[in-house]
């Protein structure tokens, strides 16, 4: 006569597995913050005309389908973008080929020379996402460094460590002036 093998009661195992899964989902951090943090300007009224921007006030950054970065039509390196953007927007020597500056009265800062410079970013449809993010990171780093420099000079602290009113003043003195065009198929060399 064959002996019957005792079996395990596994009815409660599925309940325990579900409870463990629910516990780990509740206590785990799932990082969902992806993308580029950028505050968009408010929309213009429908009857408003487009602002007239002089050529010296525009710094054109183009990225083609081969991930080549071009500054005003001349091929450059991604490593140079941050410094080129800072030089363009800051125009420290008030050069005539770089953006105009407008004396502006800003609370907490007094009269500050605010650049009228705009960075025009154009990407080819074939631009890789990695290169797109690198360009965005370099432009964001340029603005951040400029704001940090002014913040330290005026308030003795980096931009992230100052008060809300001080932050608003620095943002008025160094606005984010990046215009991004819809991607097109412009190629740009081989």
């Amino acid at each position: 006569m064959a002996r019957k093998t005792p079996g395990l009661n596994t009815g409660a195992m599925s309940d325990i597995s579900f409870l463990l899964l629910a516990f780990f989902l509740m206590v785990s951090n799932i990082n969902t913050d992806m993308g580029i943090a950028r505050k968009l300007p408010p929309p213009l009224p429908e009857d408003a005309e487009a602002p007239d921007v002089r050529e010296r006030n525009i710094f054109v950054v183009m990225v083609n389908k081969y991930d080549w970065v071009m500054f005003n039509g001349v091929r450059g390196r991604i490593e140079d973008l941050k410094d080129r953007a800072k030089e363009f927007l800051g125009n420290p020597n008030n050069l005539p080929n770089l953006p105009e500056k407008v004396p502006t009265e800003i609370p907490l800062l007094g009269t500050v020379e605010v650049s009228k410079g705009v960075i025009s970013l154009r990407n080819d449809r074939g631009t890789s996402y990695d290169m797109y993010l690198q360009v965005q990171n370099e432009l964001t780093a340029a603005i951040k460094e400029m704001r940090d420099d002014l913040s330290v000079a005026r308030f003795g602290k980096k931009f992230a460590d100052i008060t809300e009113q001080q932050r608003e003043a620095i943002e008025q003195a160094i606005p984010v002036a990046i215009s991004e065009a819809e991607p097109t198929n412009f190629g740009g060399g081989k």
Side-chain angles (χ1 to χ4, degrees), residues 36-166:
I36 300 168
R38 182 80 34 93
K39 184 178 178 183
L40 298 175
L44 291 173
E46 289 185 26
D47 59 341
E49 292 183 28
D52 184 32
V53 180
R54 295 178 64 188
E55 188 175 326
R56 79 178 262 193
N57 293 335
I58 300 174
F59 180 56
V60 180
V61 177
M62 294 172 55
V63 184
N64 70 9
K65 64 183 176 184
Y66 305 107
D67 287 345
W68 293 357
V69 180
M70 289 168 270
F71 311 125
N72 290 333
V74 178
R75 187 171 174 191
R77 300 177 330 136
I78 187 70
E79 295 84 10
D80 299 332
L81 179 56
K82 179 178 65 171
D83 293 332
R84 295 282 301 267
K86 283 174 60 175
E87 179 186 1
F88 173 78
L89 292 173
N91 191 3
N93 300 319
N94 215 8
L95 298 173
N97 60 328
L98 293 178
E100 303 168 90
K101 292 181 172 183
V102 178
T104 307
E105 186 66 32
I106 300 175
L108 301 178
L109 296 178
T111 302
V112 177
E113 296 273 318
V114 178
S115 174
K116 292 178 79 174
V118 175
I119 296 174
S120 174
L121 178 58
R122 288 186 52 208
N123 293 290
D124 187 274
R125 289 187 197 278
T127 301
S128 72
Y129 190 66
D130 179 56
M131 180 55 77
Y132 175 79
L133 285 179
Q134 286 183 53
V135 168
Q136 291 287 344
N137 286 339
E138 292 298 312
L139 294 175
T140 301
I143 300 287
K144 181 186 179 309
E145 283 185 17
M146 291 177 70
R147 287 180 171 174
D148 278 344
D149 292 346
L150 182 59
S151 180
V152 168
R154 295 296 179 103
F155 304 119
K157 297 178 185 174
K158 289 198 173 206
F159 181 73
D161 301 327
I162 58 178
T163 68
E164 187 63 34
Q165 289 100 355
Q166 291 170 333

